[in-house]
Amino acid sequence: MAVHSVIKALFLNNLSFLSPIEKYYVWKNPINSDELCALSHSDIQELLGRRILRSSWSPTRALTSAQEEMTLCQKRNITILTLDSHAYPPILKHIYDPPVVLYVWGDPQALASSMFSVVGTRQASIAGIHATIELSSRLVRYGWTLVSGLAFGIDQAAHTGAAQLSRPQVAVLGTQILDVRPKKNRPLAQKILQHGGVLLSEIGPRGHVHAYSFVSRNRIIAGLSHATCIVQAPIKSGALHTAYFAVEQGREVFVHQVGLNKGYEGSIRLYEEGAQKLDLDTIPLAPAPRTELSTSKKRHESQEI
């Protein structure tokens, strides 16, 4: 992958005034990073087809930041995947607004497998926690790579269940790639790396977290996955964003029986809208065998979070 391609992707990714779909649109434009940097304020407005604040367009600063970020990622063994990277997950390329950059901490080969996401509320019941651990463990046994968001509650239980089998899994962060939150889940994140999995974010080590970052993260969770299961979700749960992204992306959406109870009206609504009920007897087999782990796994086992 050419350096200028990476720099262009990092350049765009660090422009916070661009939406994901605008970053994707400019990425597909044949203009290179040097030509982007030479654009005037009026030029970038014409390219985007909308007005932007003059103070937002500082291409020299954005280019310098991109170069510094690439150097930092190299020092910290963070893999940068752009849309033309061989290791960029093909399934994610097909969503409406794929990330122009994925920052990967761990072995990127974990992203070459068939993925199934399990998400839900941070305020999960004890029954929900136990059901999630059992579900995620069963999914891994059936050949799936578990995907979740490393938050408290259902996400944490999902990663815990997959970690019990010491198989690769994927945690998609809504924070900077090197800033694992919540801090109490950092030991769990370390286990994910030790087992050949990855921590993944579209926010680089020099990026900024915004109010919409976690919603944006949910489109990636759904986009990586052949199917998504919402275990427990109140009516205002962020997990519903993941479900609706999955629907928009043409993926299967499931709900778990343990979430079809009072207090989890979000799950109930999904079920009423057509989401299938998923239990241990109806888990589908992964559509393709898992790929072998590469030897680069060893490089990540010794890294501290």
Side-chain angles (χ1 to χ4, degrees):
M1 180 173 54
V3 172
H4 66 80
S5 177
V6 176
I7 291 295
K8 177 181 177 180
L10 295 178
F11 178 98
L12 292 173
N13 205 48
N14 285 322
L15 297 176
S16 59
F17 64 87
L18 293 180
S19 67
I21 190 61
E22 287 176 329
K23 292 176 183 179
Y24 180 52
Y25 168 74
V26 179
W27 166 262
K28 293 193 299 181
N29 190 296
I31 188 172
N32 62 39
S33 57
D34 290 333
E35 292 168 333
L36 267 175
C37 197
L39 292 180
S40 66
H41 177 251
S42 60
D43 290 334
I44 190 66
Q45 288 188 135
E46 183 178 353
L47 180 62
L48 296 175
R50 68 175 178 90
R51 300 183 66 180
I52 62 170
L53 292 175
R54 186 173 294 275
S55 59
S56 297
W57 181 238
S58 181
T60 302
R61 183 175 61 199
L63 182 60
T64 300
S65 179
Q67 293 166 336
E68 292 175 347
E69 188 168 73
M70 186 168 69
T71 300
L72 178 57
C73 287
Q74 290 171 340
K75 288 181 179 179
R76 296 297 302 270
N77 286 329
I78 301 300
T79 302
I80 298 172
L81 299 182
T82 66
L83 283 159
D84 57 0
S85 300
H86 177 71
Y88 193 102
I91 191 172
L92 188 59
K93 289 183 181 181
H94 297 303
I95 71 172
Y96 172 69
D97 52 355
V100 296
V101 176
L102 292 175
Y103 301 88
V104 181
W105 189 351
D107 188 351
Q109 194 163 340
L111 300 171
S113 54
S114 298
M115 291 175 266
F116 198 118
S117 54
V118 176
V119 296
T121 180
R122 289 173 172 81
Q123 286 76 45
S125 68
I126 293 176
I129 294 295
H130 290 311
T132 303
I133 291 174
E134 190 173 13
L135 171 62
S136 59
S137 297
R138 186 71 65 91
L139 284 167
V140 171
R141 290 192 186 98
Y142 278 43
W144 293 100
T145 293
L146 187 282
V147 180
S148 198
L150 203 64
F152 286 135
I154 296 299
D155 289 18
Q156 182 180 25
H159 289 301
T160 298
Q164 290 178 349
L165 290 141
S166 302
R167 298 299 298 271
Q169 55 177 303
V170 178
V172 184
L173 310 180
T175 57
Q176 295 172 342
I177 185 61
L178 295 174
D179 184 24
V180 176
R181 301 293 176 120
K183 289 184 178 180
K184 288 185 178 180
N185 277 350
R186 289 182 179 179
L188 181 55
Q190 190 71 53
K191 282 186 179 181
I192 291 172
L193 294 178
Q194 290 170 349
H195 297 159
V198 302
L199 310 181
L200 181 151
S201 179
E202 66 176 329
I203 305 174
R206 299 175 62 89
H208 300 285
V209 178
H210 302 280
Y212 56 81
S213 295
F214 288 90
V215 174
S216 188
R217 175 272 304 270
N218 291 344
R219 92 187 192 285
I220 299 175
I221 292 176
L224 287 169
S225 308
H226 289 267
T228 294
C229 181
I230 311 299
V231 179
Q232 289 180 320
I235 198 65
K236 294 185 178 181
S237 173
L240 297 181
H241 291 293
T242 309
Y244 290 125
F245 280 128
V247 171
E248 291 174 358
Q249 295 162 5
R251 314 296 166 78
E252 287 193 272
V253 176
F254 296 92
V255 293
H256 196 288
Q257 176 67 46
V258 77
L260 300 180
N261 298 303
K262 184 178 180 180
Y264 304 109
E265 282 72 22
S267 292
I268 294 171
R269 187 173 73 181
L270 287 174
Y271 184 58
E272 291 173 344
E273 292 175 348
Q276 302 177 62
K277 192 186 300 182
L278 182 68
D279 57 38
L280 298 183
D281 296 324
T282 58
I283 295 175
L285 291 172
R290 299 176 63 89
T291 57
E292 292 296 318
L293 290 178
S294 71
T295 55
S296 62
K297 173 183 174 183
K298 297 296 183 182
R299 183 186 69 181
H300 305 286
E301 287 183 344
S302 62
Q303 293 188 48
E304 294 297 326
I305 292 178

